[in-house]
Amino acid sequence: HVPTSSSPNGINYRWWYGPTLPAHFSWFLFECPNLLWSIYCYFQCYDADILFLNLFDDESASQYSNEIENIGAIFVQRKDSISISKNLVLLLLFTLHYFNRAVIYPMRMNSNSHEVPLIVIISAMTVTTVNGYLQCFYLCKGVSLGELTVGVGLDGYTRNNRSTASGKSWGGNLLSWLGIVTFFTGMGINLHSDGVLRKLRRYGPSMKPTTQLKNYGNSFGAALIDSNGGNFTTSKPYYIPHTPFFRYVSCPNFAGEILEWFGFAMASEFSYPSVAFLVYTAANLIPRGVAHLEWYLRKFDNYPKERRWAVIPFVV
């Protein structure tokens, strides 16, 4: 990705952007630096006192032996709760997202997807290399974010304060759980919206126009529209999805990804690297969404009137 109002790929591509590579391979190159950093940091470069729950030395462990049933490298089990390192949870969320983006998403892309200019690939790899380094090293060697607790014993022990946790720990635990729920909500919106667009691109061009309109109107709630005024023999047809997430915004897949990283930032209690990545993601995807909406409005007279926003309903 590059933070411009109109990234030079897909419907915004122009010939002067230079040589292109296949979309599947391009997307793998885009996203793999983030995935490689997370794998490297997890296996080779981490501080055990930050990434895992090595809470106590021998003296401290004996002091609390009556209250703590088991101390493990990943989980801490108490009589009424189980805790895991927030740093580890966030690293797993980061890895999950980029495993999907670097491996699963390219494998599921359509064979007729637009090729991607080399300049975009280089720009995107630069960004993901820097971002992967910042996020993964912060989580593995930077600052401990404490414990994420499951159970009624939310007044457990923290890595930096082995006495009973304060109200701030309660709030931090709740904020992190809300962030995780938000992260998976955004991921669900993103995956569903990408799936709708992928099905439209995959099955639409393989059928006759009348069959496409009938099938997609009934099965997927999509209307068939061609960018050149309906001449299906001279250009690639485009489709307007009408599933719920597309009701008010043109790019719910972008909205879902922004929501994902907002949840990630929330789960990390708005750490500097996570907030920086959230701001970058919004600065990248919102202008792209606006460019998409403007393109559709220019091309299609019957574009849905209620779909007035590009990415965030009632905002932009």
mmCIF file of all heavy atoms in Angstrom, residues 5 44 73 75 77 85-86 114 119 164 186 194 197 201 229 248-250 264 288 298 310:
data_model
loop_
_atom_site.group_PDB
_atom_site.id
_atom_site.type_symbol
_atom_site.label_atom_id
_atom_site.label_comp_id
_atom_site.label_asym_id
_atom_site.label_seq_id
_atom_site.Cartn_x
_atom_site.Cartn_y
_atom_site.Cartn_z
ATOM 1 N N SER A 5 -4.066 9.279 -2.634
ATOM 2 C CA SER A 5 -5.503 9.305 -2.832
ATOM 3 C C SER A 5 -5.944 8.352 -3.924
ATOM 4 O O SER A 5 -7.105 8.006 -4.014
ATOM 5 C CB SER A 5 -5.957 10.724 -3.190
ATOM 6 O OG SER A 5 -5.324 11.147 -4.390
ATOM 7 N N GLN A 44 13.247 -16.208 17.632
ATOM 8 C CA GLN A 44 14.661 -15.889 17.742
ATOM 9 C C GLN A 44 14.984 -14.634 18.552
ATOM 10 O O GLN A 44 16.080 -14.530 19.091
ATOM 11 C CB GLN A 44 15.257 -15.724 16.333
ATOM 12 C CG GLN A 44 15.224 -16.976 15.497
ATOM 13 C CD GLN A 44 16.160 -18.053 16.019
ATOM 14 O OE1 GLN A 44 17.150 -17.760 16.682
ATOM 15 N NE2 GLN A 44 15.830 -19.301 15.748
ATOM 16 N N ALA A 73 5.159 -20.920 31.368
ATOM 17 C CA ALA A 73 5.847 -19.950 30.525
ATOM 18 C C ALA A 73 4.868 -19.088 29.749
ATOM 19 O O ALA A 73 5.162 -17.952 29.433
ATOM 20 C CB ALA A 73 6.778 -20.675 29.559
ATOM 21 N N PHE A 75 0.951 -19.403 30.257
ATOM 22 C CA PHE A 75 -0.220 -19.122 31.082
ATOM 23 C C PHE A 75 0.156 -19.119 32.557
ATOM 24 O O PHE A 75 1.071 -19.824 32.978
ATOM 25 C CB PHE A 75 -1.312 -20.181 30.872
ATOM 26 C CG PHE A 75 -1.894 -20.183 29.490
ATOM 27 C CD1 PHE A 75 -1.446 -21.082 28.538
ATOM 28 C CD2 PHE A 75 -2.894 -19.282 29.143
ATOM 29 C CE1 PHE A 75 -1.970 -21.095 27.272
ATOM 30 C CE2 PHE A 75 -3.427 -19.291 27.872
ATOM 31 C CZ PHE A 75 -2.968 -20.194 26.936
ATOM 32 N N GLN A 77 -2.017 -19.910 35.929
ATOM 33 C CA GLN A 77 -3.308 -20.385 36.418
ATOM 34 C C GLN A 77 -3.398 -20.154 37.925
ATOM 35 O O GLN A 77 -2.547 -20.616 38.688
ATOM 36 C CB GLN A 77 -3.478 -21.870 36.106
ATOM 37 C CG GLN A 77 -4.789 -22.454 36.623
ATOM 38 C CD GLN A 77 -4.907 -23.932 36.322
ATOM 39 O OE1 GLN A 77 -4.104 -24.482 35.568
ATOM 40 N NE2 GLN A 77 -5.895 -24.574 36.910
ATOM 41 N N SER A 85 0.092 -13.334 28.691
ATOM 42 C CA SER A 85 0.749 -12.074 28.372
ATOM 43 C C SER A 85 0.007 -11.339 27.261
ATOM 44 O O SER A 85 -0.294 -11.911 26.214
ATOM 45 C CB SER A 85 2.197 -12.327 27.948
ATOM 46 O OG SER A 85 2.755 -11.185 27.335
ATOM 47 N N LYS A 86 -0.303 -10.057 27.470
ATOM 48 C CA LYS A 86 -0.917 -9.250 26.409
ATOM 49 C C LYS A 86 0.006 -9.151 25.209
ATOM 50 O O LYS A 86 -0.450 -9.141 24.061
ATOM 51 C CB LYS A 86 -1.241 -7.847 26.926
ATOM 52 C CG LYS A 86 -2.421 -7.760 27.863
ATOM 53 C CD LYS A 86 -2.681 -6.309 28.243
ATOM 54 C CE LYS A 86 -3.779 -6.212 29.298
ATOM 55 N NZ LYS A 86 -4.004 -4.788 29.705
ATOM 56 N N HIS A 114 -6.281 -7.662 -11.398
ATOM 57 C CA HIS A 114 -5.384 -6.702 -12.038
ATOM 58 C C HIS A 114 -3.944 -6.924 -11.582
ATOM 59 O O HIS A 114 -3.678 -7.140 -10.393
ATOM 60 C CB HIS A 114 -5.789 -5.279 -11.675
ATOM 61 C CG HIS A 114 -7.109 -4.869 -12.241
ATOM 62 N ND1 HIS A 114 -7.275 -4.483 -13.550
ATOM 63 C CD2 HIS A 114 -8.339 -4.779 -11.664
ATOM 64 C CE1 HIS A 114 -8.541 -4.169 -13.768
ATOM 65 N NE2 HIS A 114 -9.207 -4.335 -12.645
ATOM 66 N N ILE A 119 6.311 -0.343 -8.862
ATOM 67 C CA ILE A 119 6.521 0.766 -7.937
ATOM 68 C C ILE A 119 5.644 0.628 -6.694
ATOM 69 O O ILE A 119 6.048 0.979 -5.579
ATOM 70 C CB ILE A 119 6.257 2.122 -8.640
ATOM 71 C CG1 ILE A 119 6.644 3.271 -7.711
ATOM 72 C CG2 ILE A 119 4.804 2.251 -9.082
ATOM 73 C CD1 ILE A 119 6.548 4.641 -8.381
ATOM 74 N N THR A 164 -1.548 -6.621 44.928
ATOM 75 C CA THR A 164 -2.863 -6.644 44.286
ATOM 76 C C THR A 164 -2.977 -5.521 43.282
ATOM 77 O O THR A 164 -2.600 -4.391 43.536
ATOM 78 C CB THR A 164 -3.964 -6.493 45.351
ATOM 79 O OG1 THR A 164 -3.823 -7.564 46.282
ATOM 80 C CG2 THR A 164 -5.339 -6.544 44.714
ATOM 81 N N GLY A 186 -13.792 -6.275 13.105
ATOM 82 C CA GLY A 186 -13.248 -5.673 11.891
ATOM 83 C C GLY A 186 -12.744 -6.711 10.918
ATOM 84 O O GLY A 186 -12.941 -6.599 9.698
ATOM 85 N N ASP A 194 -14.370 -8.699 1.311
ATOM 86 C CA ASP A 194 -13.445 -9.199 0.293
ATOM 87 C C ASP A 194 -14.025 -10.414 -0.423
ATOM 88 O O ASP A 194 -13.859 -10.577 -1.637
ATOM 89 C CB ASP A 194 -12.110 -9.570 0.934
ATOM 90 C CG ASP A 194 -11.198 -8.367 1.136
ATOM 91 O OD1 ASP A 194 -11.462 -7.309 0.527
ATOM 92 O OD2 ASP A 194 -10.230 -8.477 1.916
ATOM 93 N N LEU A 197 -16.655 -9.298 -3.043
ATOM 94 C CA LEU A 197 -16.012 -8.747 -4.229
ATOM 95 C C LEU A 197 -15.318 -9.832 -5.044
ATOM 96 O O LEU A 197 -15.353 -9.811 -6.283
ATOM 97 C CB LEU A 197 -15.000 -7.677 -3.814
ATOM 98 C CG LEU A 197 -15.579 -6.430 -3.129
ATOM 99 C CD1 LEU A 197 -14.459 -5.533 -2.623
ATOM 100 C CD2 LEU A 197 -16.490 -5.666 -4.077
ATOM 101 N N ARG A 201 -16.120 -10.859 -9.011
ATOM 102 C CA ARG A 201 -15.100 -10.830 -10.067
ATOM 103 C C ARG A 201 -14.902 -12.217 -10.688
ATOM 104 O O ARG A 201 -14.638 -12.345 -11.879
ATOM 105 C CB ARG A 201 -13.763 -10.347 -9.500
ATOM 106 C CG ARG A 201 -13.791 -8.916 -8.970
ATOM 107 C CD ARG A 201 -12.394 -8.470 -8.552
ATOM 108 N NE ARG A 201 -12.423 -7.194 -7.873
ATOM 109 C CZ ARG A 201 -12.132 -7.011 -6.593
ATOM 110 N NH1 ARG A 201 -11.788 -8.054 -5.846
ATOM 111 N NH2 ARG A 201 -12.176 -5.816 -6.045
ATOM 112 N N GLY A 229 -20.778 1.720 -20.377
ATOM 113 C CA GLY A 229 -22.163 1.917 -20.760
ATOM 114 C C GLY A 229 -22.886 0.686 -21.230
ATOM 115 O O GLY A 229 -23.847 0.784 -21.991
ATOM 116 N N TYR A 248 -24.232 1.377 2.899
ATOM 117 C CA TYR A 248 -23.983 2.808 3.059
ATOM 118 C C TYR A 248 -22.581 3.236 2.649
ATOM 119 O O TYR A 248 -22.324 4.431 2.497
ATOM 120 C CB TYR A 248 -24.229 3.226 4.513
ATOM 121 C CG TYR A 248 -25.671 3.081 4.934
ATOM 122 C CD1 TYR A 248 -26.051 2.095 5.847
ATOM 123 C CD2 TYR A 248 -26.659 3.922 4.420
ATOM 124 C CE1 TYR A 248 -27.374 1.954 6.221
ATOM 125 C CE2 TYR A 248 -27.983 3.785 4.793
ATOM 126 C CZ TYR A 248 -28.346 2.796 5.702
ATOM 127 O OH TYR A 248 -29.649 2.661 6.069
ATOM 128 N N VAL A 249 -21.647 2.287 2.521
ATOM 129 C CA VAL A 249 -20.275 2.653 2.156
ATOM 130 C C VAL A 249 -19.835 1.849 0.940
ATOM 131 O O VAL A 249 -20.276 0.719 0.721
ATOM 132 C CB VAL A 249 -19.289 2.420 3.323
ATOM 133 C CG1 VAL A 249 -19.637 3.302 4.509
ATOM 134 C CG2 VAL A 249 -19.242 0.959 3.722
ATOM 135 N N SER A 250 -18.949 2.439 0.150
ATOM 136 C CA SER A 250 -18.451 1.783 -1.052
ATOM 137 C C SER A 250 -17.365 0.762 -0.750
ATOM 138 O O SER A 250 -17.182 -0.188 -1.503
ATOM 139 C CB SER A 250 -17.907 2.831 -2.027
ATOM 140 O OG SER A 250 -18.938 3.659 -2.503
ATOM 141 N N PHE A 264 -6.825 -3.382 17.648
ATOM 142 C CA PHE A 264 -5.461 -3.754 18.025
ATOM 143 C C PHE A 264 -4.846 -2.678 18.912
ATOM 144 O O PHE A 264 -4.211 -2.982 19.938
ATOM 145 C CB PHE A 264 -4.630 -3.956 16.758
ATOM 146 C CG PHE A 264 -3.247 -4.484 16.993
ATOM 147 C CD1 PHE A 264 -3.012 -5.840 17.108
ATOM 148 C CD2 PHE A 264 -2.166 -3.623 17.062
ATOM 149 C CE1 PHE A 264 -1.726 -6.337 17.305
ATOM 150 C CE2 PHE A 264 -0.884 -4.095 17.260
ATOM 151 C CZ PHE A 264 -0.662 -5.454 17.390
ATOM 152 N N ARG A 288 -8.002 6.156 -0.534
ATOM 153 C CA ARG A 288 -8.263 5.146 -1.565
ATOM 154 C C ARG A 288 -9.748 4.872 -1.686
ATOM 155 O O ARG A 288 -10.283 4.726 -2.801
ATOM 156 C CB ARG A 288 -7.510 3.853 -1.243
ATOM 157 C CG ARG A 288 -6.014 3.939 -1.466
ATOM 158 C CD ARG A 288 -5.332 2.644 -1.102
ATOM 159 N NE ARG A 288 -5.842 1.523 -1.868
ATOM 160 C CZ ARG A 288 -5.604 0.245 -1.581
ATOM 161 N NH1 ARG A 288 -4.860 -0.058 -0.517
ATOM 162 N NH2 ARG A 288 -6.089 -0.718 -2.328
ATOM 163 N N ARG A 298 -18.579 8.547 -11.161
ATOM 164 C CA ARG A 298 -18.331 9.034 -12.513
ATOM 165 C C ARG A 298 -18.808 8.046 -13.563
ATOM 166 O O ARG A 298 -19.308 8.434 -14.617
ATOM 167 C CB ARG A 298 -16.827 9.301 -12.730
ATOM 168 C CG ARG A 298 -16.286 10.519 -12.012
ATOM 169 C CD ARG A 298 -14.927 10.920 -12.607
ATOM 170 N NE ARG A 298 -13.999 9.795 -12.704
ATOM 171 C CZ ARG A 298 -13.133 9.465 -11.766
ATOM 172 N NH1 ARG A 298 -13.087 10.154 -10.629
ATOM 173 N NH2 ARG A 298 -12.302 8.442 -11.939
ATOM 174 N N ALA A 310 -17.616 6.723 1.580
ATOM 175 C CA ALA A 310 -16.595 5.866 0.995
ATOM 176 C C ALA A 310 -16.179 4.734 1.928
ATOM 177 O O ALA A 310 -16.131 3.567 1.531
ATOM 178 C CB ALA A 310 -15.367 6.702 0.620
#
